[in-house]
Amino acid sequence: MLTRIGGGRVIDPANGRDSVGDVWMQDGKIVSAPQERRADATYNAAGKIVMAGAIDIHSHIAGANVNTARLLLPEYHSAAAMRPAETPLSQVGWTTHEIGCLYATMGFTTVVEPAMSPHYALHAHLELADIPIIDKATLAVLGNDDYLLGLLHAKESDAAIQDYVAWTLDMSRALGIKVVNAGGAAAFKENVRAFSFDDVVPSYGVSSRVIVKSLQRAVHALAIPHPLHVHCNNLGLAGNFETALTTIAAAEALPLHLAHLQFYSYGKEGERGFSSAAPALAEAVNAAKSVTIDVGQVMFGQTVTISSDVLRQFNARNQAKPRKWVILDGDANGFGIVPYNYRRNDFYNVVQWAAGLELFLLTRDSSRVFFTTDHPNGASFTTYPEIFALLMSHDLRAQWMAEMPPAALKVTTLPLIAREYSLTEIATMTRAAPAKLLGLMDRGHLGAGAIADVAIYEDDADRAKMFRSAALVFKDGELVVRDGLVTNLRSGRTLTVRPERDRAIDRRMRAYYEDRYGLSDEFLKVPEHALGRPEPFAVVPCRL
Ligand SMILES: [Zn+2]
């Protein structure tokens, strides 16, 4: 069937397009305007904005940590039924079903779950398979696991580390590799409670720097499109911008992605010894062309922090609100779940909010700064429309700031920043750039050959309203949202990479699991048939 989306303002930065015109779709793909044939179906997009489906590179939507948060907070979970609409978190899509529907309603069609423990991969993929409509992907977490630290301790070759990384990606069906407080969680098991980039994991004698650099080289050598995704050390601490600067300097011209940099943008200025150092970080990012970041924007309200950074979550447990938490000092990274309430009148929370916006606004290249709240750590993904609006309007930011404690804003530069994002910059940050960063060349744009993921919005001056509720959304050419309501609960797929490896690693890993765990390595494989539908996975090529 040939479908025409007619007469909308098409904003497609990957193809240099911002003009009124048509987008054509056939068999789930975008096609060029046909010379003669008439459309079998036409959707009138006059007065509307037409973009590719949006892509979220970092949102905790599935797996052991997310599910533990559900168990910890049943009172906030819609599945507990009868949850009044006004209760905290009532706007957070906690069920798999809600996650897919809420993302689709906002015009998002691909979302990456960024913290999958390889040993819990099957659980994560079962949950992802239950999320309707959107395509998904995961990042596998390495860097505190005994096998990798053992390889580094034994000073094994780069080739051995590459084979292990490739094996992990294949077994766990991930799209890339993440490292979370590299070495910090392993050191935590030996009662270490503070861990920086050049600190050493006692039993293994390797530093965070060595772990990060080894994984960065391996990911690059395997030609995995997404660079190593780094959650730095010292999350949340005053003065931690220096840790982030050290990590940025360590990139050394090889690709490196720094996650939720807002949580590392704190200085020690001012009376309270807590200030925004986002300008210094943005300057470093502007200069380091191989480095990409996402922000992890904070918004106000109740949320829950979910992290594989067990060391930092343990230290933050007393800030839990409500006063309950889960710390699992378990396999490899372990994890920590700490509920938290960001308040608009709290000095520290306002500095965090402002620092995130400073990072967005002071990073010049909108293709190297990515849009995240680190859902649900900084805020729920359902706050994205409000953040788009804040980025696009200096006046709106001024209105928000007028209600906030001036002492907090004084230790930031946000009141001085006039920049406003354009729709093209929003489309770059949420469509064109993330597709490139993840190696998903079939999406993030509206050129011929792309999959037909298309989001169409009313061109409303209230940008939050516009982005909250798309007029029409197509996934692979199928209409899934109309007037902000889901019309079709189709299933998406999970995207993976499968880089080449020397198969000797398979024998080595089998022996390791038998020796260390008394288990077959089969236990961590994710069989396709377990997901209960045909072709649940799609393999993304590595650039070899
Ligand atoms: Zn995260």
Side-chain angles (χ1 to χ4, degrees), residues 66-84 87-90 92 94-95 98 304 322 324 326 337 339:
V66 174
N67 222 28
T68 305
R70 290 185 175 115
L71 292 169
L72 181 69
L73 299 161
E75 68 273 33
Y76 295 154
H77 194 326
S78 66
M82 310 308 174
R83 182 177 68 184
T87 53
L89 284 189
S90 62
V92 178
W94 272 118
T95 65
E98 283 173 308
V304 53
K324 51 183 177 178
V326 178
I337 313 294

Side-chain angles (χ1 to χ4, degrees), residues 353 357 361 387-402 413-422 463:
W353 173 83
L357 292 175
L361 296 163
I387 305 172
F388 291 138
L390 286 166
L391 293 175
M392 296 185 75
S393 169
H394 172 260
D395 284 351
L396 185 62
R397 295 197 294 271
Q399 282 169 33
W400 279 53
M401 285 189 280
T413 65
L414 187 63
L416 309 174
I417 302 175
R419 182 178 171 192
E420 297 182 333
Y421 267 64
S422 66
R463 297 305 191 194

Side-chain angles (χ1 to χ4, degrees), residues 430-458:
T430 56
R431 275 84 173 167
K436 205 167 147 215
L437 184 75
L438 298 168
L440 308 178
M441 305 322 287
D442 64 352
R443 64 193 71 199
H445 67 96
L446 295 170
I451 58 173
D453 289 1
V454 187
I456 299 155
Y457 305 97
E458 297 292 344

Side-chain angles (χ1 to χ4, degrees), residues 25-107:
M25 307 184 292
Q26 187 166 29
D27 301 328
K29 295 272 170 59
I30 305 287
V31 294
S32 307
Q35 294 297 318
E36 287 165 13
R37 261 189 74 194
R38 291 170 68 96
D40 302 306
T42 296
Y43 293 88
N44 180 10
K48 297 186 172 66
I49 305 285
V50 181
M51 294 185 184
I55 301 169
D56 190 342
I57 67 159
H58 189 124
S59 175
H60 299 272
I61 55 170
N65 304 4
V66 174
N67 222 28
T68 305
R70 290 185 175 115
L71 292 169
L72 181 69
L73 299 161
E75 68 273 33
Y76 295 154
H77 194 326
S78 66
M82 310 308 174
R83 182 177 68 184
E86 320 72 57
T87 53
L89 284 189
S90 62
Q91 300 305 309
V92 178
W94 272 118
T95 65
T96 48
H97 177 84
E98 283 173 308
I99 288 170
C101 293
L102 287 167
Y103 264 117
T105 303
M106 299 191 302

Side-chain angles (χ1 to χ4, degrees), residues 58-60 114-115 178 231 259-260 306 374-375 377:
H58 189 124
S59 175
H60 299 272
K178 183 188 191 190
H231 166 130
H260 41 69
I306 294 179
D374 191 16
H375 165 84
N377 289 305

Side-chain angles (χ1 to χ4, degrees), residues 170-215:
D170 191 11
M171 292 303 104
S172 65
R173 297 192 188 253
L175 186 68
I177 297 289
K178 183 188 191 190
V179 60
V180 179
N181 195 351
F188 181 75
K189 296 181 202 306
E190 300 185 66
N191 294 321
V192 171
R193 294 293 177 262
F195 198 78
S196 284
F197 200 58
D198 286 304
D199 289 340
V200 167
V201 186
S203 285
Y204 298 93
V206 295
S207 66
S208 210
R209 181 186 294 272
V210 166
I211 298 167
V212 168
K213 292 300 295 175
S214 304
L215 286 172

